[in-house]
Amino acid sequence: MDIADIATTDYIELDAESNVGKARSIFEEENPKGIIVTRAGDYEGVITQKQLLRSHIEDHTKVDTLTKSAPRVDRTDNVRDVARALVEGGTKVAPVFESGTLWGVVDQDLILEAVLENLDTLTVEQIYTENVVSIAEDATLGQAINRLREHGVSRLPVVDDDGFLTGVVTTQDVVEFATRSVEKTTRGDRSGEGDRLLDLPVYDVMSSPAITTNLDESVRDAVERMLDNDYSGLVVTPKDDDRVVGGVITKTDVLRALSYTEEDVMDVQITNVNLLDTLSRESIRSSIAEISDKYQKMQVRHAHVRFHEHKEKLRGTPLLQCKIRLRTNRGQVAGSGEGYGAEQAFSVARDKLERNVLEMKGVESDREYEGQLLRKLGEL
């Protein structure tokens, strides 16, 4: 299926010289996945809602300061390649070109709606993300924003004092709440009002109750619920207790699954691939393969490496966070780390991943020994 069968020529376009306030209004009123930014009619990039979380950006700032690059898609590209491009580009929307000219856009929802019928073969357990970042009800909105930025995620499960799920706070919740509140004030009051907003508890902003799914549910049913409710993800809970946070499943997780390859080599996806610098995809693949080879019982079905750039720099080199997650026949295992530049960040994350893999190996060895001991005792 070519992406031309899915993409749309109906998209929102904004000139790079427009102000950020106009972009905020568009997101509030029309809730697009992204806005195409042009300059004198030529494509410049995209602006997404997540970028508006940069609270120090004033409404009068030019849109081009927030514009980010997005993977360029050709009308004849297939769905799998486009899904991979969106995941690795860290974006929900991409421009579609025909003969070098901007023709339309494609986003996550358009792709998922087109392949919905084919998602019955997958279960949530096969593609969800474990060990998610959550936040307490009484944490402040400012803390939620920092956590969303720090971990490069778009949603946080909210838990009460007992650790039970009570709601979810998302990038969209924060932006919409801040926009509505600031509009109620005069221009002179906005700075102080912004400070007060950051001190509000997450409880005042979160969506509740949280919409959940369980490991046995089909991905099709989970995605259908996301599309019907305009959610970008669902909290995964045990089937018998929807108060316990077990993970999340997002539209990006589904796109990632769509782009899995059937090659003999390990399938590695890299989010924000533009941050690699001197590091190559092949060096990342071989490095992860070395770790998996040390644990023969673990078969890596898919590896996801995500880079996230912080503001801090050292002699011009940005501080990066790297997260590596392996989906294996023994479950999920991950490692994360920070460093200046992609190579250093990946090296720290790789070392943590290797320790976690070896720990998994040790735990299984202990279980095998315990089983052998019990069997011997049973023979006495």
Side-chain angles (χ1 to χ4, degrees):
M1 181 188 297
D2 288 347
I3 208 63
D5 300 325
I6 299 173
T8 177
T9 56
D10 183 19
Y11 57 89
I12 297 174
E13 184 178 320
L14 200 57
D15 189 88
E17 292 300 309
S18 301
N19 60 49
V20 169
K22 186 172 182 180
R24 285 196 171 105
S25 297
I26 291 173
F27 278 113
E28 182 184 13
E29 294 169 8
E30 304 190 43
N31 192 27
K33 294 291 179 282
I35 299 173
I36 297 293
V37 179
T38 59
R39 188 185 299 275
D42 293 330
Y43 170 76
E44 284 278 308
V46 300
I47 182 171
T48 63
Q49 197 173 51
K50 184 184 289 188
Q51 292 161 271
L52 296 182
L53 271 181
R54 293 169 60 177
S55 57
H56 65 281
I57 299 294
E58 300 291 339
D59 280 356
H60 58 76
T61 306
K62 300 298 183 186
V63 163
D64 62 358
T65 63
L66 289 181
T67 301
K68 61 177 286 188
S69 61
R72 293 181 175 227
V73 174
D74 192 87
R75 280 192 65 187
T76 57
D77 288 346
N78 64 49
V79 174
R80 171 175 285 182
D81 290 341
V82 175
R84 177 181 285 270
L86 288 178
V87 171
E88 297 200 333
T91 182
K92 297 179 180 180
V93 61
V96 180
F97 287 81
E98 181 179 37
S99 302
T101 301
L102 182 63
W103 174 83
V105 298
V106 64
D107 62 40
Q108 284 185 336
D109 285 5
L110 291 173
I111 293 177
L112 294 176
E113 287 168 358
V115 301
L116 192 61
E117 298 297 324
N118 301 318
L119 299 178
D120 258 342
T121 58
L122 289 172
T123 64
V124 169
E125 184 176 14
Q126 291 175 292
I127 67 171
Y128 84 115
T129 300
E130 293 181 290
N131 304 320
V132 298
V133 182
S134 60
I135 195 164
E137 288 179 330
D138 57 359
T140 66
L141 182 56
Q143 290 172 321
I145 291 174
N146 287 335
R147 197 160 296 182
L148 288 165
R149 287 177 182 164
E150 178 186 353
H151 296 277
V153 295
S154 60
R155 63 198 309 102
L156 298 170
V158 181
V159 295
D160 61 18
D161 291 340
D162 296 319
F164 290 137
L165 178 68
T166 59
V168 174
V169 63
T170 68
T171 301
Q172 184 173 332
D173 293 331
V174 173
V175 173
E176 288 182 350
F177 182 82
T179 302
R180 287 196 305 270
S181 300
V182 170
E183 282 181 348
K184 295 177 182 178
T185 69
T186 63
R187 181 178 297 274
D189 294 329
R190 285 192 177 188
S191 177
E193 181 65 19
D195 291 339
R196 287 190 290 273
L197 287 176
L198 295 179
D199 289 334
L200 288 174
V202 168
Y203 184 85
D204 290 350
V205 184
M206 71 179 189
S207 300
S208 182
I211 305 300
T212 65
T213 182
N214 62 74
L215 297 179
D216 296 330
E217 186 170 37
S218 73
V219 171
R220 174 185 173 174
D221 290 343
V223 169
E224 208 160 24
R225 195 173 306 126
M226 293 184 214
L227 294 173
D228 288 346
N229 294 280
D230 195 23
Y231 293 145
S232 60
L234 303 174
V235 180
V236 180
T237 63
K239 202 169 187 177
D240 57 351
D241 192 347
D242 61 6
R243 302 174 304 163
V244 178
V245 178
V248 297
I249 180 172
T250 67
K251 291 175 180 176
T252 301
D253 290 326
V254 182
L255 286 186
R256 190 177 296 119
L258 287 177
S259 62
Y260 288 172
T261 66
E262 296 178 357
E263 301 172 359
D264 291 336
V265 295
M266 181 193 302
D267 181 39
V268 177
Q269 284 186 353
I270 303 169
T271 297
N272 294 324
V273 68
N274 58 302
L275 297 176
L276 283 188
D277 194 20
T278 58
L279 201 60
S280 70
R281 183 191 297 274
E282 185 50 45
S283 63
I284 288 176
R285 188 199 307 274
S286 60
S287 185
I288 294 175
E290 287 177 8
I291 295 176
S292 64
D293 287 346
K294 294 180 180 180
Y295 182 18
Q296 297 299 326
K297 292 183 179 180
M298 184 179 76
Q299 298 171 5
V300 178
R301 294 168 177 162
H302 177 74
H304 177 221
V305 181
R306 186 185 189 284
F307 290 95
H308 175 67
E309 184 175 0
H310 295 300
K311 294 179 184 178
E312 185 180 340
K313 291 186 178 181
L314 178 65
R315 293 190 289 275
T317 302
L319 177 65
L320 300 182
Q321 179 191 61
C322 177
K323 291 184 178 181
I324 309 171
R325 189 181 78 208
L326 305 185
R327 197 176 299 279
T328 80
N329 61 328
R330 298 281 172 170
Q332 295 184 36
V333 61
S336 64
E338 292 185 346
Y340 290 96
E343 195 163 351
Q344 187 182 82
F346 175 76
S347 178
V348 175
R350 181 196 178 280
D351 289 346
K352 183 64 181 295
L353 174 71
E354 182 166 15
R355 287 196 295 272
N356 291 340
V357 167
L358 293 177
E359 183 179 337
M360 176 191 288
K361 182 177 182 180
V363 168
E364 291 208 350
S365 296
D366 290 344
R367 287 173 180 166
E368 288 178 4
Y369 174 75
E370 182 181 350
Q372 292 171 359
L373 182 61
L374 289 174
R375 283 194 297 273
K376 288 180 180 179
L377 290 173
E379 293 171 358
L380 295 178

